[in-house]
Amino acid sequence: MAAKLKTFLFGMILGSIIAFPLGINFGKDEPLWSNPFAQRDVREKVLNSVKEGTERAIEGAKEKIHEATKPARGMLKQ
């Protein structure tokens, strides 16, 4: 019984040591095996946020253009 308890506790400690940095990277949306404590470059952060904002704006514009250029149903039957 004591051996099973030691094995269980060892597994819990080892698992938490491995899972902690992976969870930090997952939360920061970084590659899982990168250094979770490394300082990120400010330029890199700004470029990532600009890229995400641009992608959202492009998708919104595509949807608006698609709606604006859609033919009206009543106009086709002449």
Side-chain angles (χ1 to χ4, degrees):
M1 180 71 176
K4 287 185 180 183
L5 184 61
K6 285 182 184 178
T7 303
F8 177 75
L9 290 176
F10 178 74
M12 290 293 289
I13 292 169
L14 184 63
S16 63
I17 289 172
I18 293 171
F20 181 71
L22 293 177
I24 291 174
N25 285 336
F26 183 76
K28 290 181 178 179
D29 205 23
E30 296 289 332
L32 289 180
W33 295 108
S34 65
N35 183 359
F37 305 110
Q39 293 293 326
R40 304 291 181 222
D41 187 24
V42 174
R43 181 175 185 260
E44 182 181 325
K45 289 180 184 178
V46 170
L47 288 176
N48 286 339
S49 65
V50 168
K51 181 180 176 183
E52 291 173 3
T54 305
E55 289 172 355
R56 284 195 306 266
I58 288 172
E59 287 301 317
K62 284 181 182 178
E63 291 175 10
K64 296 290 184 181
I65 291 171
H66 181 68
E67 285 183 26
T69 58
K70 189 172 19 174
R73 291 184 181 227
M75 299 294 288
L76 293 177
K77 296 181 180 179
Q78 289 184 1

